[in-house]
Amino acid sequence: MAKRTRALHRKTAKIADVAELAGVSVATVSRTLARPEVVTEETRTRVLAAVRDTGYTPNISARNLRVRKTMVVLVAVPDIANPFFAEVLQGIDDTLSTAGYGLIIANLAGSPEKEARYVDLVCAGQADGVLLLCGHVMRSPDRDLREARVPLVAACEYIPRESFPQVTIDNVGTAREAVQHLIELGHTSIAYLSGPKSNILEQQRLEGYRQALREAAIAADAGLILPGDFTFRTGVEAGRALLALEPLARPTALFAANDEMAIGLIKTVHAAGLQIPDDLSVVGFDGIAYADYCEPTLTTIVQPRRDLGATAAAELIALMTTDKLGLRKDITLPARLMLRDSTRPPPKSRGHSRSRTRSG
Amino acid sequence: MAKRTRALHRKTAKIADVAELAGVSVATVSRTLARPEVVTEETRTRVLAAVRDTGYTPNISARNLRVRKTMVVLVAVPDIANPFFAEVLQGIDDTLSTAGYGLIIANLAGSPEKEARYVDLVCAGQADGVLLLCGHVMRSPDRDLREARVPLVAACEYIPRESFPQVTIDNVGTAREAVQHLIELGHTSIAYLSGPKSNILEQQRLEGYRQALREAAIAADAGLILPGDFTFRTGVEAGRALLALEPLARPTALFAANDEMAIGLIKTVHAAGLQIPDDLSVVGFDGIAYADYCEPTLTTIVQPRRDLGATAAAELIALMTTDKLGLRKDITLPARLMLRDSTRPPPKSRGHSRSRTRSG
DNA sequence: CAAACTGGTGTAATCGATTACATTTATATC
DNA sequence: GATATAAATGTAATCGATTACACCAGTTTG
């Protein structure tokens, strides 16, 4: 038992050991490390030598307890395996870790228990701030993240009616732009492959799709809205649904609410003999790395993924250090339509190519 | 200043507040929360009511300081944006978070400064254990992770000559199997698309490739070993290198050290008119999700990614809780060859199909 | 030469929980 | 009814750092 305790609680030098070795008080050691300029040249060298000799590293729990900080931020991610979020995370990690913050990644994975655990963590003061990449404020059965009164910033998915800063792109506008591109190519029968109805991003992208059609005076056809949930699998299903249609009833173009579904759909209809983009033009959304790897490469809205993360992180740091908890400042980052190989004018026999001049 | 301090250090109930409200001592409150069965039914309800009324949550820094634990483990990942590691991470997250551990993800991204920062973090006792997904033990200029005397487990990439547990697959054996598959289809001119030479996984997979050739008495041709570094980009470059060869000098099959490069290569040679698998069979390694999304779907070695993570995490938990620091236990998980659409016998005009009977 | 500073250092309180040990109260035993 | 035993609770030390305040020596200033 004694033996076990000794091994588990391996001994590390503490500040008192350093003080003793250097022949100074603990206060002086602490000061030397925090603000070297306030101590004498001579004590400084003595203390630093003692630090090296003892291999001292401050105990962070003790420091946190004393200064009431953790230097950790929690990032809530709907799903780490999603390549889009993985890249946003890189941006977050870049800024946060150079600013000296640690990162706890809360992989929600649609599990309310996990969500609750993380809310408790934050409420317990385990984090100095929270970055929300999910479309709602986190809750546990009896707590709400906002009760933690911890700095909060949301990114990627806009959360309506909240008072904390949010960093997003203009989803409605860019979705509209994507569909306008198809319209300019001459398409008039344009399908939409949607995300889960309850998702805010989905609602905004759908709205953009509708606006573009309305502006071009193209009648909206509810039959052209295919259900999906942002996963590759539902892209495949939507592809099958498309194939099941009468060839002449098929749309000549499709706008997908994200890239993964677009790629799933392309793969499916291509395997059945449809040529992309000859028989069907496809535009995606997100700009994940694979959109440029697939065959054909995908025309898509590329979001500034790293930048979204980096900006949100910077905003959070500002919030944590300046204590302007109430100040709301939404930031909209630019996203652009990237023209690649999956779009072209509709086949001559169909559609009414209006602006052939443009060739991107 | 006073105002600012008040807001930053927002007040949360502490154990003394709960004790006062419930009319008991702090020890009783602590016990009620830790081991409810040791207090009276009556005090328990009084205390729990007080906890709810005050909204009390224990301060974790204080607890950690006292019990010398952090309930956090650090996971060192070469690159979070790599889909392979993202899936391993999911497995890790699953087991670790249900066991009540938090997760700090150290995204090394090839940066020695980051690596050093994280080593210091661990040495400072900020983590109870470390999971290494990279192929080397982490170091800072003056420290080495092993000095932290913290439980350590490695996964995915085997680190030779170390005494901590490692969870991997049989890279040599499965690589050999992948190449044997090509040989059984009748290929005799088989290229290898390599990873970075210094990488252990690369060395093992190359060894498997060599073994398979040797067993089949196929002479190794150094010109058939193409350089790569595990990225999509080098797959594209290797594809160009292949296209630059005299058509008759081209290999009829290729084994890539990972899927991303295989996909890059396929895309490139396909765009130049080569048919996959008719003109070139390709086998990958890893089994990332996109290996099943690309066109054609990729025959590959699928690693049990989630399971690798989960197993390593479980091993680490065992280490952290039982204190058997010395006990080395390597675990090899099964990986299997997944036959898909990117392989078939070589064109009749070339190669010498030896075993046409097998058709997978 | 005394008073007023100033720069460097030490003493001790503090952060908020856990827990060994002491103490009280209730129950069983002879 | 006295004593041993068990059960429940309280008191206070402890974890390891930070920092307000006290103190002292040396320098300036009038």
Side-chain angles (χ1 to χ4, degrees):
Chain A
M1 171 57 197
K3 193 175 153 235
R4 172 172 173 191
T5 306
R6 191 173 347 270
L8 256 178
H9 301 168
R10 61 205 168 281
K11 194 164 227 74
T12 34
K14 44 200 226 176
I15 198 167
D17 301 332
V18 178
E20 195 186 3
L21 182 60
V24 297
S25 73
V26 293
T28 301
V29 175
S30 180
R31 277 189 287 252
T32 307
L33 266 21
R35 300 182 305 280
E37 70 280 5
V38 305
V39 301
T40 331
E41 163 83 48
E42 199 238 323
T43 27
R44 193 186 320 144
T45 52
R46 271 227 312 287
V47 169
L48 292 181
V51 166
R52 260 187 282 281
D53 291 354
T54 54
Y56 169 74
T57 339
N59 177 310
I60 314 243
S61 298
R63 169 184 296 165
N64 290 347
L65 173 58
R66 183 61 233 244
V67 305
R68 292 143 162 282
K69 276 195 174 195
T70 63
M71 294 306 278
V72 166
V73 336
L74 185 129
V75 187
V77 194
D79 173 16
I80 357 174
N82 180 320
F84 174 76
F85 288 117
E87 292 183 67
V88 175
L89 265 179
Q90 284 191 318
I92 293 173
D93 183 65
D94 282 351
T95 31
L96 239 34
S97 78
T98 59
Y101 286 90
L103 205 63
I104 290 196
I105 297 194
N107 183 33
L108 301 184
S111 146
E113 304 87 59
K114 283 195 178 188
E115 182 166 334
R117 233 185 346 254
Y118 286 115
V119 171
D120 286 344
L121 210 76
V122 173
C123 290
Q126 269 289 60
D128 291 342
V130 176
L131 228 36
L132 247 27
L133 265 37
C134 53
H136 66 286
V137 178
M138 292 164 68
R139 275 179 244 282
S140 78
D142 37 39
R143 274 180 226 283
D144 178 305
L145 190 54
R146 280 161 299 198
E147 285 174 20
R149 316 232 9 252
V150 140
L152 221 56
V153 172
C156 304
E157 305 197 4
Y158 187 82
I159 309 177
R161 283 181 300 284
E162 292 293 346
S163 57
F164 44 79
Q166 310 216 18
V167 181
T168 53
I169 62 158
D170 173 10
N171 279 282
V172 178
T174 46
R176 180 170 5 103
E177 204 182 321
V179 177
Q180 281 168 345
H181 164 63
L182 293 170
I183 292 172
E184 282 171 10
L185 286 176
H187 294 277
T188 54
S189 173
I190 303 172
Y192 174 65
L193 174 44
S194 70
K197 295 219 183 321
S198 63
N199 184 285
I200 300 145
L201 296 178
E202 151 60 21
Q203 292 158 14
Q204 294 175 328
R205 293 172 192 174
L206 173 59
E207 172 60 21
Y209 165 77
R210 290 205 166 119
Q211 285 186 8
L213 293 190
R214 202 178 312 134
E215 281 168 11
I218 297 176
D221 175 353
L224 289 182
I225 297 191
L226 307 171
D229 68 1
F230 286 150
T231 64
F232 184 86
R233 193 179 50 75
T234 55
V236 171
E237 284 166 13
R240 295 211 188 98
L242 227 49
L243 292 170
L245 292 176
E246 274 297 306
L248 283 176
R250 270 182 215 141
T252 59
L254 177 138
F255 169 51
N258 83 349
D259 287 347
E260 279 190 77
M261 294 194 296
I263 294 170
L265 180 132
I266 288 177
K267 181 180 155 65
T268 308
V269 302
H270 181 77
L274 277 194
Q275 293 302 311
I276 309 287
D278 311 74
D279 298 323
L280 181 73
S281 284
V282 177
V283 180
F285 203 113
D286 278 353
I288 61 175
Y290 266 89
D292 199 21
Y293 295 174
C294 54
E295 188 55 38
T297 55
L298 186 66
T299 292
T300 186
I301 298 289
V302 344
Q303 294 203 51
R305 291 146 293 166
R306 258 189 130 96
D307 205 24
L308 278 167
T311 308
E315 197 67 5
L316 183 62
I317 291 176
L319 226 50
M320 291 188 297
T321 51
T322 65
D323 188 34
K324 296 263 195 296
L325 270 186
L327 188 101
R328 178 190 175 127
K329 190 164 115 211
D330 286 354
I331 299 180
T332 302
L333 259 32
R336 69 183 200 292
L337 177 65
M338 172 69 118
L339 299 178
R340 286 197 280 235
D341 302 336
S342 65
T343 49
R344 75 161 51 160
K348 293 217 182 55
S349 54
R350 306 180 45 197
H352 324 283
S353 327
R354 303 195 302 189
S355 57
R356 257 308 157 69
T357 47
R358 246 182 215 253
S359 56
Chain B
M1 170 56 197
K3 193 174 153 234
R4 172 171 172 191
T5 305
R6 192 174 347 271
L8 258 178
H9 301 167
R10 62 206 169 281
K11 195 165 227 72
T12 34
K14 45 200 227 175
I15 198 166
D17 301 331
V18 179
E20 194 185 6
L21 182 59
V24 297
S25 73
V26 293
T28 303
V29 174
S30 180
R31 276 189 287 253
T32 306
L33 266 22
R35 300 181 306 280
E37 70 280 7
V38 305
V39 302
T40 331
E41 161 84 47
E42 200 237 322
T43 29
R44 193 186 319 144
T45 53
R46 270 227 313 287
V47 169
L48 293 180
V51 166
R52 261 188 282 280
D53 291 355
T54 54
Y56 169 75
T57 338
N59 177 310
I60 314 243
S61 298
R63 170 184 295 165
N64 290 347
L65 173 58
R66 184 61 234 244
V67 305
R68 293 146 161 281
K69 276 193 171 194
T70 64
M71 293 307 281
V72 166
V73 336
L74 184 130
V75 187
V77 194
D79 173 17
I80 357 174
N82 179 319
F84 175 76
F85 289 117
E87 293 183 66
V88 176
L89 265 179
Q90 283 192 317
I92 293 173
D93 183 66
D94 282 352
T95 28
L96 238 36
S97 78
T98 60
Y101 285 90
L103 204 62
I104 289 195
I105 297 194
N107 184 35
L108 301 184
S111 147
E113 303 87 58
K114 284 194 179 191
E115 181 166 333
R117 230 181 352 250
Y118 286 115
V119 171
D120 287 344
L121 210 76
V122 173
C123 291
Q126 269 289 58
D128 291 342
V130 176
L131 228 36
L132 247 28
L133 265 38
C134 53
H136 66 286
V137 177
M138 292 164 68
R139 276 179 244 282
S140 79
D142 36 39
R143 275 178 225 283
D144 176 307
L145 190 54
R146 281 161 299 199
E147 285 173 19
R149 316 236 6 253
V150 140
L152 220 57
V153 172
C156 305
E157 304 197 6
Y158 187 84
I159 308 176
R161 283 181 299 283
E162 292 293 348
S163 57
F164 43 80
Q166 311 216 17
V167 181
T168 53
I169 61 157
D170 173 10
N171 278 284
V172 178
T174 45
R176 179 168 7 102
E177 205 183 321
V179 177
Q180 281 168 345
H181 163 63
L182 293 170
I183 293 172
E184 283 171 9
L185 285 176
H187 294 278
T188 53
S189 173
I190 303 173
Y192 174 65
L193 174 45
S194 70
K197 296 219 183 321
S198 63
N199 183 286
I200 301 144
L201 295 178
E202 152 59 20
Q203 293 158 12
Q204 295 174 328
R205 292 173 192 174
L206 174 60
E207 171 61 20
Y209 165 76
R210 290 207 166 118
Q211 284 185 9
L213 294 190
R214 200 178 312 133
E215 281 168 12
I218 297 177
D221 175 353
L224 289 182
I225 297 191
L226 307 172
D229 68 0
F230 287 151
T231 64
F232 183 85
R233 193 179 48 76
T234 54
V236 170
E237 284 166 13
R240 296 212 187 96
L242 227 49
L243 292 170
L245 293 176
E246 274 297 306
L248 283 176
R250 269 183 215 140
T252 59
L254 177 139
F255 169 50
N258 83 349
D259 288 347
E260 278 190 78
M261 293 193 296
I263 294 171
L265 179 132
I266 288 178
K267 182 179 156 64
T268 308
V269 301
H270 181 78
L274 278 195
Q275 294 302 310
I276 310 286
D278 310 73
D279 298 322
L280 181 73
S281 284
V282 177
V283 180
F285 204 112
D286 277 354
I288 62 175
Y290 268 90
D292 199 21
Y293 295 175
C294 54
E295 187 57 36
T297 55
L298 186 66
T299 291
T300 188
I301 298 288
V302 342
Q303 295 202 52
R305 292 146 291 168
R306 258 189 131 95
D307 206 23
L308 278 166
T311 307
E315 196 67 6
L316 183 63
I317 291 176
L319 226 53
M320 291 188 297
T321 51
T322 66
D323 188 34
K324 296 262 196 294
L325 270 186
L327 187 102
R328 180 189 174 127
K329 191 165 116 213
D330 286 354
I331 299 181
T332 303
L333 259 32
R336 68 181 201 292
L337 177 66
M338 173 68 117
L339 299 177
R340 286 197 281 234
D341 302 336
S342 65
T343 50
R344 75 161 50 160
K348 291 213 185 56
S349 54
R350 304 179 46 196
H352 324 283
S353 327
R354 302 195 303 191
S355 58
R356 257 308 157 70
T357 48
R358 244 182 217 255
S359 58

